[in-house]
Amino acid sequence: MDTTLVIQAQSGDRGAFARLVDTEWERLRRLAYGILRDSALADDATQQALLSIWHDLPRLRDPERYEAWVHRLLVRRCYAEAKRQRHSPTSGPPLVESDAAPGDDYRAVEVRDELERAFQRLSVEQRTLVVLHYYAGLPLNHIAEAMGVPAGTVYSRLHRALKELRGLLEADA
């Protein structure tokens, strides 16, 4: 992330903020979808996170921490959207891409669907951990900062989330 751009946006430069949004929107939207598993909710959470970023950016003390700070705002917005929404998530693009050979298409689709069904049954917090670590590739200390908890807590919660996911997959089998 270009800290110069963050500093310019902090001082009220709308053009700099627009460039930040241009670079961040799609990545944040994909993370929000990974957590919420609903396109409309992901759009709402991303938009609300960007509004919060614009509003709170002048108070960001360390522009070097911008990325973790943005993740924290996005996670909070995803949690708020999940609480606001009461019906189960709609289906959308799969969590994992299939690289199966043409003859294995049926089994690959079946495995992907099983994983998606189990993933949707995880709590929003568990999905957040899995998405941020395995989908976004963030290290545990970065996730801890984004979620506002100690790194050890993230490690243990991620372990429990994966154990839960395995249990759901086994129960469905």
Side-chain angles (χ1 to χ4, degrees), residues 53-66:
I53 291 166
W54 174 250
H55 182 264
D56 297 342
L57 191 57
R59 292 191 294 274
L60 177 64
R61 289 186 213 144
D62 184 2
E64 297 285 331
R65 314 288 307 158
Y66 173 79

Side-chain angles (χ1 to χ4, degrees), residues 133-154:
H133 188 63
Y134 292 103
Y135 182 71
L138 299 178
L140 295 179
N141 61 339
H142 186 99
I143 297 169
E145 189 172 339
M147 296 183 76
V149 296
T153 302
V154 168

